[in-house]
Amino acid sequence: METNAEHLRTLAAVVDNGTFERAASALHITPSAVSQRIKALEEQSGRVLVRRSKPIEPTEAGAVLVRLARQVALLEAEAAAELADSAQGAAGIPLVVNADSLATWVLPALAALPGITVDVVLDDQEHTLDRLRDGTAMAAISSDREPVQGCVVSPLGAMTYRPMASRAFVERWCPDGWTPDAAAAAPMLVFDRKDTLQDRYLSGFAPGARPPRSSIPASTEFVRATELGLGWAMLPDLQADALVADGRLVPLDGAGALDVPLYWQQWSLRSTALDRVAAEIAAAATRTLRRAEASPNSD
């Protein structure tokens, strides 16, 4: 099918803004014009493209065209930069990154990309692929090695997590050692409802344990909550090592490390900006994740 770039841009705006009215404001047109463009695109494609929910969401067919809209927008931005004889055109790249990676090693990579703007969406590394499928993102850091349709994937390395707690927490909840009984009773921290890392650890160490849990949905504050004794948690070495060294955190289980492999998934699209982002992310992963894998503290 032949698509109208203006109609595709309108579809992406509706999905991004959640309502026809906000999309109209962003595009500086009337809500009626937005409705007409979406209707024309639906008639052309022969599919319903958006669910009139609050907020509006793309259908499966709509997600395909939202991805196309973002690809067209990226290529238009790069072409405009070349025509303006600018080697540093302001191309915008929407990315999905897990919170722990963003808090530890991803930001320096993004800072090394002058001329490229990014729209970072936080999501658990096990749930980022939905963002690629629905067109929310052009690239993602994921724990899934199987590429999404239309994407390519490359390994980044792994983040190592270990069960950690404060000294005061250990004295209160497991003074005689970290045992399955202690793990079943001691308060546990989770990042959010998608966070299964602590439960994965417990399935091997204390099968069937269902300890009380608190949710702390921010990476830095999650570590801080562990340090303050709100609960025990699986923390990445990249965040915990310095706190262990100065005695503010204590490893609970010397054999309890879990390695979470990370992969870079991106659209199969020839884009200078996207390729630059991928290269910097890969370089940062080599400097941090793979170096951590080779360190003496890694199991």
PDB file of all heavy atoms in Angstrom, residues 163-192:
ATOM      1  N   PRO A 163      22.034 -11.359  46.309  1.00  0.00           N
ATOM      2  CA  PRO A 163      21.172 -10.955  47.426  1.00  0.00           C
ATOM      3  C   PRO A 163      21.957 -10.126  48.434  1.00  0.00           C
ATOM      4  O   PRO A 163      22.991 -10.566  48.934  1.00  0.00           O
ATOM      5  CB  PRO A 163      20.701 -12.290  48.009  1.00  0.00           C
ATOM      6  CG  PRO A 163      21.739 -13.281  47.597  1.00  0.00           C
ATOM      7  CD  PRO A 163      22.274 -12.817  46.280  1.00  0.00           C
ATOM      8  N   MET A 164      21.427  -8.923  48.727  1.00  0.00           N
ATOM      9  CA  MET A 164      22.112  -7.979  49.603  1.00  0.00           C
ATOM     10  C   MET A 164      21.166  -7.465  50.676  1.00  0.00           C
ATOM     11  O   MET A 164      19.940  -7.417  50.486  1.00  0.00           O
ATOM     12  CB  MET A 164      22.628  -6.786  48.788  1.00  0.00           C
ATOM     13  CG  MET A 164      23.669  -7.124  47.747  1.00  0.00           C
ATOM     14  SD  MET A 164      25.285  -7.392  48.508  1.00  0.00           S
ATOM     15  CE  MET A 164      26.240  -7.858  47.039  1.00  0.00           C
ATOM     16  N   ALA A 165      21.756  -7.036  51.798  1.00  0.00           N
ATOM     17  CA  ALA A 165      20.980  -6.418  52.875  1.00  0.00           C
ATOM     18  C   ALA A 165      21.911  -5.549  53.703  1.00  0.00           C
ATOM     19  O   ALA A 165      23.142  -5.631  53.578  1.00  0.00           O
ATOM     20  CB  ALA A 165      20.317  -7.478  53.745  1.00  0.00           C
ATOM     21  N   SER A 166      21.322  -4.715  54.550  1.00  0.00           N
ATOM     22  CA  SER A 166      22.125  -3.908  55.464  1.00  0.00           C
ATOM     23  C   SER A 166      22.551  -4.754  56.668  1.00  0.00           C
ATOM     24  O   SER A 166      21.958  -5.806  56.958  1.00  0.00           O
ATOM     25  CB  SER A 166      21.314  -2.707  55.952  1.00  0.00           C
ATOM     26  OG  SER A 166      20.258  -3.145  56.798  1.00  0.00           O
ATOM     27  N   ARG A 167      23.567  -4.298  57.379  1.00  0.00           N
ATOM     28  CA  ARG A 167      24.010  -5.027  58.570  1.00  0.00           C
ATOM     29  C   ARG A 167      22.896  -5.076  59.623  1.00  0.00           C
ATOM     30  O   ARG A 167      22.692  -6.104  60.282  1.00  0.00           O
ATOM     31  CB  ARG A 167      25.257  -4.364  59.154  1.00  0.00           C
ATOM     32  CG  ARG A 167      26.498  -4.549  58.289  1.00  0.00           C
ATOM     33  CD  ARG A 167      27.768  -4.143  59.011  1.00  0.00           C
ATOM     34  NE  ARG A 167      28.929  -4.351  58.162  1.00  0.00           N
ATOM     35  CZ  ARG A 167      29.541  -5.509  57.982  1.00  0.00           C
ATOM     36  NH1 ARG A 167      29.084  -6.578  58.633  1.00  0.00           N
ATOM     37  NH2 ARG A 167      30.584  -5.617  57.200  1.00  0.00           N
ATOM     38  N   ALA A 168      22.180  -3.968  59.798  1.00  0.00           N
ATOM     39  CA  ALA A 168      21.087  -3.947  60.779  1.00  0.00           C
ATOM     40  C   ALA A 168      19.998  -4.947  60.393  1.00  0.00           C
ATOM     41  O   ALA A 168      19.412  -5.611  61.269  1.00  0.00           O
ATOM     42  CB  ALA A 168      20.512  -2.536  60.879  1.00  0.00           C
ATOM     43  N   PHE A 169      19.729  -5.061  59.095  1.00  0.00           N
ATOM     44  CA  PHE A 169      18.733  -6.018  58.625  1.00  0.00           C
ATOM     45  C   PHE A 169      19.174  -7.445  58.953  1.00  0.00           C
ATOM     46  O   PHE A 169      18.374  -8.266  59.426  1.00  0.00           O
ATOM     47  CB  PHE A 169      18.539  -5.848  57.124  1.00  0.00           C
ATOM     48  CG  PHE A 169      17.492  -6.746  56.518  1.00  0.00           C
ATOM     49  CD1 PHE A 169      16.189  -6.303  56.367  1.00  0.00           C
ATOM     50  CD2 PHE A 169      17.813  -8.026  56.085  1.00  0.00           C
ATOM     51  CE1 PHE A 169      15.215  -7.129  55.814  1.00  0.00           C
ATOM     52  CE2 PHE A 169      16.854  -8.860  55.534  1.00  0.00           C
ATOM     53  CZ  PHE A 169      15.545  -8.403  55.393  1.00  0.00           C
ATOM     54  N   VAL A 170      20.439  -7.746  58.704  1.00  0.00           N
ATOM     55  CA  VAL A 170      20.965  -9.088  58.982  1.00  0.00           C
ATOM     56  C   VAL A 170      20.852  -9.401  60.465  1.00  0.00           C
ATOM     57  O   VAL A 170      20.435 -10.502  60.867  1.00  0.00           O
ATOM     58  CB  VAL A 170      22.425  -9.196  58.507  1.00  0.00           C
ATOM     59  CG1 VAL A 170      23.065 -10.495  59.004  1.00  0.00           C
ATOM     60  CG2 VAL A 170      22.502  -9.123  56.986  1.00  0.00           C
ATOM     61  N   GLU A 171      21.210  -8.440  61.314  1.00  0.00           N
ATOM     62  CA  GLU A 171      21.154  -8.667  62.759  1.00  0.00           C
ATOM     63  C   GLU A 171      19.728  -8.936  63.231  1.00  0.00           C
ATOM     64  O   GLU A 171      19.509  -9.721  64.153  1.00  0.00           O
ATOM     65  CB  GLU A 171      21.735  -7.455  63.494  1.00  0.00           C
ATOM     66  CG  GLU A 171      23.233  -7.310  63.308  1.00  0.00           C
ATOM     67  CD  GLU A 171      23.762  -5.992  63.853  1.00  0.00           C
ATOM     68  OE1 GLU A 171      22.938  -5.214  64.409  1.00  0.00           O
ATOM     69  OE2 GLU A 171      24.969  -5.726  63.714  1.00  0.00           O
ATOM     70  N   ARG A 172      18.750  -8.295  62.605  1.00  0.00           N
ATOM     71  CA  ARG A 172      17.360  -8.464  63.023  1.00  0.00           C
ATOM     72  C   ARG A 172      16.723  -9.727  62.475  1.00  0.00           C
ATOM     73  O   ARG A 172      16.037 -10.457  63.202  1.00  0.00           O
ATOM     74  CB  ARG A 172      16.541  -7.249  62.607  1.00  0.00           C
ATOM     75  CG  ARG A 172      15.069  -7.371  62.976  1.00  0.00           C
ATOM     76  CD  ARG A 172      14.281  -6.145  62.603  1.00  0.00           C
ATOM     77  NE  ARG A 172      12.869  -6.312  62.948  1.00  0.00           N
ATOM     78  CZ  ARG A 172      11.919  -5.418  62.704  1.00  0.00           C
ATOM     79  NH1 ARG A 172      12.246  -4.268  62.087  1.00  0.00           N
ATOM     80  NH2 ARG A 172      10.662  -5.649  63.045  1.00  0.00           N
ATOM     81  N   TRP A 173      16.942  -9.995  61.176  1.00  0.00           N
ATOM     82  CA  TRP A 173      16.176 -11.031  60.500  1.00  0.00           C
ATOM     83  C   TRP A 173      16.920 -12.359  60.318  1.00  0.00           C
ATOM     84  O   TRP A 173      16.278 -13.405  60.127  1.00  0.00           O
ATOM     85  CB  TRP A 173      15.693 -10.539  59.136  1.00  0.00           C
ATOM     86  CG  TRP A 173      14.671  -9.455  59.252  1.00  0.00           C
ATOM     87  CD1 TRP A 173      14.864  -8.109  59.127  1.00  0.00           C
ATOM     88  CD2 TRP A 173      13.284  -9.624  59.558  1.00  0.00           C
ATOM     89  NE1 TRP A 173      13.701  -7.420  59.329  1.00  0.00           N
ATOM     90  CE2 TRP A 173      12.695  -8.331  59.583  1.00  0.00           C
ATOM     91  CE3 TRP A 173      12.474 -10.729  59.799  1.00  0.00           C
ATOM     92  CZ2 TRP A 173      11.353  -8.125  59.850  1.00  0.00           C
ATOM     93  CZ3 TRP A 173      11.125 -10.543  60.065  1.00  0.00           C
ATOM     94  CH2 TRP A 173      10.577  -9.248  60.090  1.00  0.00           C
ATOM     95  N   CYS A 174      18.218 -12.326  60.335  1.00  0.00           N
ATOM     96  CA  CYS A 174      18.945 -13.599  60.172  1.00  0.00           C
ATOM     97  C   CYS A 174      20.233 -13.590  60.989  1.00  0.00           C
ATOM     98  O   CYS A 174      21.329 -13.745  60.425  1.00  0.00           O
ATOM     99  CB  CYS A 174      19.220 -13.882  58.699  1.00  0.00           C
ATOM    100  SG  CYS A 174      19.926 -12.495  57.765  1.00  0.00           S
ATOM    101  N   PRO A 175      20.126 -13.392  62.305  1.00  0.00           N
ATOM    102  CA  PRO A 175      21.335 -13.354  63.147  1.00  0.00           C
ATOM    103  C   PRO A 175      22.103 -14.672  63.159  1.00  0.00           C
ATOM    104  O   PRO A 175      23.305 -14.695  63.436  1.00  0.00           O
ATOM    105  CB  PRO A 175      20.771 -13.019  64.534  1.00  0.00           C
ATOM    106  CG  PRO A 175      19.344 -13.492  64.491  1.00  0.00           C
ATOM    107  CD  PRO A 175      18.900 -13.254  63.077  1.00  0.00           C
ATOM    108  N   ASP A 176      21.409 -15.774  62.850  1.00  0.00           N
ATOM    109  CA  ASP A 176      22.061 -17.092  62.846  1.00  0.00           C
ATOM    110  C   ASP A 176      22.420 -17.547  61.430  1.00  0.00           C
ATOM    111  O   ASP A 176      22.741 -18.719  61.203  1.00  0.00           O
ATOM    112  CB  ASP A 176      21.146 -18.133  63.494  1.00  0.00           C
ATOM    113  CG  ASP A 176      20.853 -17.814  64.960  1.00  0.00           C
ATOM    114  OD1 ASP A 176      21.780 -17.338  65.642  1.00  0.00           O
ATOM    115  OD2 ASP A 176      19.704 -18.013  65.381  1.00  0.00           O
ATOM    116  N   GLY A 177      22.329 -16.636  60.488  1.00  0.00           N
ATOM    117  CA  GLY A 177      22.680 -16.964  59.113  1.00  0.00           C
ATOM    118  C   GLY A 177      21.495 -16.875  58.184  1.00  0.00           C
ATOM    119  O   GLY A 177      20.329 -16.880  58.603  1.00  0.00           O
ATOM    120  N   TRP A 178      21.801 -16.786  56.904  1.00  0.00           N
ATOM    121  CA  TRP A 178      20.768 -16.669  55.868  1.00  0.00           C
ATOM    122  C   TRP A 178      20.318 -18.070  55.479  1.00  0.00           C
ATOM    123  O   TRP A 178      20.983 -18.783  54.741  1.00  0.00           O
ATOM    124  CB  TRP A 178      21.346 -15.919  54.667  1.00  0.00           C
ATOM    125  CG  TRP A 178      20.388 -15.623  53.557  1.00  0.00           C
ATOM    126  CD1 TRP A 178      20.482 -16.059  52.269  1.00  0.00           C
ATOM    127  CD2 TRP A 178      19.216 -14.811  53.608  1.00  0.00           C
ATOM    128  NE1 TRP A 178      19.440 -15.573  51.517  1.00  0.00           N
ATOM    129  CE2 TRP A 178      18.634 -14.791  52.311  1.00  0.00           C
ATOM    130  CE3 TRP A 178      18.574 -14.086  54.621  1.00  0.00           C
ATOM    131  CZ2 TRP A 178      17.471 -14.095  52.009  1.00  0.00           C
ATOM    132  CZ3 TRP A 178      17.419 -13.385  54.320  1.00  0.00           C
ATOM    133  CH2 TRP A 178      16.888 -13.394  53.037  1.00  0.00           C
ATOM    134  N   THR A 179      19.168 -18.463  55.999  1.00  0.00           N
ATOM    135  CA  THR A 179      18.633 -19.802  55.778  1.00  0.00           C
ATOM    136  C   THR A 179      17.319 -19.699  55.010  1.00  0.00           C
ATOM    137  O   THR A 179      16.717 -18.624  54.928  1.00  0.00           O
ATOM    138  CB  THR A 179      18.365 -20.494  57.121  1.00  0.00           C
ATOM    139  OG1 THR A 179      17.335 -19.769  57.824  1.00  0.00           O
ATOM    140  CG2 THR A 179      19.629 -20.548  57.974  1.00  0.00           C
ATOM    141  N   PRO A 180      16.825 -20.806  54.447  1.00  0.00           N
ATOM    142  CA  PRO A 180      15.522 -20.773  53.790  1.00  0.00           C
ATOM    143  C   PRO A 180      14.405 -20.280  54.706  1.00  0.00           C
ATOM    144  O   PRO A 180      13.511 -19.548  54.271  1.00  0.00           O
ATOM    145  CB  PRO A 180      15.313 -22.223  53.361  1.00  0.00           C
ATOM    146  CG  PRO A 180      16.696 -22.730  53.124  1.00  0.00           C
ATOM    147  CD  PRO A 180      17.523 -22.090  54.207  1.00  0.00           C
ATOM    148  N   ASP A 181      14.441 -20.638  55.998  1.00  0.00           N
ATOM    149  CA  ASP A 181      13.429 -20.156  56.927  1.00  0.00           C
ATOM    150  C   ASP A 181      13.518 -18.647  57.108  1.00  0.00           C
ATOM    151  O   ASP A 181      12.484 -17.954  57.164  1.00  0.00           O
ATOM    152  CB  ASP A 181      13.578 -20.853  58.283  1.00  0.00           C
ATOM    153  CG  ASP A 181      13.112 -22.303  58.251  1.00  0.00           C
ATOM    154  OD1 ASP A 181      12.387 -22.668  57.301  1.00  0.00           O
ATOM    155  OD2 ASP A 181      13.501 -23.057  59.158  1.00  0.00           O
ATOM    156  N   ALA A 182      14.744 -18.136  57.194  1.00  0.00           N
ATOM    157  CA  ALA A 182      14.914 -16.690  57.325  1.00  0.00           C
ATOM    158  C   ALA A 182      14.426 -15.977  56.070  1.00  0.00           C
ATOM    159  O   ALA A 182      13.767 -14.928  56.137  1.00  0.00           O
ATOM    160  CB  ALA A 182      16.384 -16.361  57.593  1.00  0.00           C
ATOM    161  N   ALA A 183      14.737 -16.544  54.908  1.00  0.00           N
ATOM    162  CA  ALA A 183      14.324 -15.930  53.648  1.00  0.00           C
ATOM    163  C   ALA A 183      12.811 -15.924  53.490  1.00  0.00           C
ATOM    164  O   ALA A 183      12.244 -15.031  52.845  1.00  0.00           O
ATOM    165  CB  ALA A 183      14.966 -16.666  52.474  1.00  0.00           C
ATOM    166  N   ALA A 184      12.136 -16.895  54.070  1.00  0.00           N
ATOM    167  CA  ALA A 184      10.681 -16.957  53.969  1.00  0.00           C
ATOM    168  C   ALA A 184      10.004 -15.894  54.816  1.00  0.00           C
ATOM    169  O   ALA A 184       8.868 -15.497  54.540  1.00  0.00           O
ATOM    170  CB  ALA A 184      10.192 -18.343  54.387  1.00  0.00           C
ATOM    171  N   ALA A 185      10.699 -15.408  55.852  1.00  0.00           N
ATOM    172  CA  ALA A 185      10.093 -14.440  56.772  1.00  0.00           C
ATOM    173  C   ALA A 185      10.602 -13.019  56.585  1.00  0.00           C
ATOM    174  O   ALA A 185       9.885 -12.051  56.868  1.00  0.00           O
ATOM    175  CB  ALA A 185      10.345 -14.881  58.213  1.00  0.00           C
ATOM    176  N   ALA A 186      11.828 -12.861  56.120  1.00  0.00           N
ATOM    177  CA  ALA A 186      12.441 -11.539  56.044  1.00  0.00           C
ATOM    178  C   ALA A 186      11.808 -10.686  54.947  1.00  0.00           C
ATOM    179  O   ALA A 186      11.562 -11.180  53.841  1.00  0.00           O
ATOM    180  CB  ALA A 186      13.943 -11.687  55.781  1.00  0.00           C
ATOM    181  N   PRO A 187      11.527  -9.409  55.199  1.00  0.00           N
ATOM    182  CA  PRO A 187      10.946  -8.526  54.179  1.00  0.00           C
ATOM    183  C   PRO A 187      11.836  -8.447  52.942  1.00  0.00           C
ATOM    184  O   PRO A 187      13.070  -8.411  53.039  1.00  0.00           O
ATOM    185  CB  PRO A 187      10.865  -7.176  54.888  1.00  0.00           C
ATOM    186  CG  PRO A 187      10.863  -7.494  56.341  1.00  0.00           C
ATOM    187  CD  PRO A 187      11.710  -8.718  56.482  1.00  0.00           C
ATOM    188  N   MET A 188      11.192  -8.405  51.806  1.00  0.00           N
ATOM    189  CA  MET A 188      11.893  -8.407  50.515  1.00  0.00           C
ATOM    190  C   MET A 188      11.495  -7.170  49.722  1.00  0.00           C
ATOM    191  O   MET A 188      10.363  -6.683  49.819  1.00  0.00           O
ATOM    192  CB  MET A 188      11.505  -9.672  49.744  1.00  0.00           C
ATOM    193  CG  MET A 188      12.192  -9.870  48.417  1.00  0.00           C
ATOM    194  SD  MET A 188      11.727 -11.478  47.687  1.00  0.00           S
ATOM    195  CE  MET A 188      10.142 -11.081  46.932  1.00  0.00           C
ATOM    196  N   LEU A 189      12.417  -6.656  48.935  1.00  0.00           N
ATOM    197  CA  LEU A 189      12.135  -5.521  48.059  1.00  0.00           C
ATOM    198  C   LEU A 189      11.985  -6.008  46.614  1.00  0.00           C
ATOM    199  O   LEU A 189      12.724  -6.892  46.179  1.00  0.00           O
ATOM    200  CB  LEU A 189      13.260  -4.489  48.122  1.00  0.00           C
ATOM    201  CG  LEU A 189      13.505  -3.824  49.475  1.00  0.00           C
ATOM    202  CD1 LEU A 189      14.667  -2.841  49.356  1.00  0.00           C
ATOM    203  CD2 LEU A 189      12.252  -3.129  49.979  1.00  0.00           C
ATOM    204  N   VAL A 190      11.042  -5.419  45.894  1.00  0.00           N
ATOM    205  CA  VAL A 190      10.932  -5.623  44.450  1.00  0.00           C
ATOM    206  C   VAL A 190      10.853  -4.252  43.802  1.00  0.00           C
ATOM    207  O   VAL A 190      10.424  -3.275  44.424  1.00  0.00           O
ATOM    208  CB  VAL A 190       9.699  -6.469  44.057  1.00  0.00           C
ATOM    209  CG1 VAL A 190       9.832  -7.881  44.604  1.00  0.00           C
ATOM    210  CG2 VAL A 190       8.405  -5.827  44.539  1.00  0.00           C
ATOM    211  N   PHE A 191      11.279  -4.190  42.545  1.00  0.00           N
ATOM    212  CA  PHE A 191      11.255  -2.920  41.818  1.00  0.00           C
ATOM    213  C   PHE A 191       9.815  -2.536  41.490  1.00  0.00           C
ATOM    214  O   PHE A 191       9.370  -1.423  41.738  1.00  0.00           O
ATOM    215  CB  PHE A 191      12.093  -3.041  40.545  1.00  0.00           C
ATOM    216  CG  PHE A 191      12.286  -1.747  39.815  1.00  0.00           C
ATOM    217  CD1 PHE A 191      13.282  -0.869  40.187  1.00  0.00           C
ATOM    218  CD2 PHE A 191      11.469  -1.414  38.742  1.00  0.00           C
ATOM    219  CE1 PHE A 191      13.451   0.332  39.510  1.00  0.00           C
ATOM    220  CE2 PHE A 191      11.632  -0.223  38.060  1.00  0.00           C
ATOM    221  CZ  PHE A 191      12.634   0.659  38.447  1.00  0.00           C
ATOM    222  N   ASP A 192       9.086  -3.465  40.898  1.00  0.00           N
ATOM    223  CA  ASP A 192       7.664  -3.297  40.594  1.00  0.00           C
ATOM    224  C   ASP A 192       7.072  -4.682  40.360  1.00  0.00           C
ATOM    225  O   ASP A 192       7.728  -5.697  40.608  1.00  0.00           O
ATOM    226  CB  ASP A 192       7.438  -2.366  39.394  1.00  0.00           C
ATOM    227  CG  ASP A 192       8.145  -2.840  38.129  1.00  0.00           C
ATOM    228  OD1 ASP A 192       8.445  -4.059  38.025  1.00  0.00           O
ATOM    229  OD2 ASP A 192       8.406  -2.024  37.229  1.00  0.00           O
TER     230      ASP A 192
END
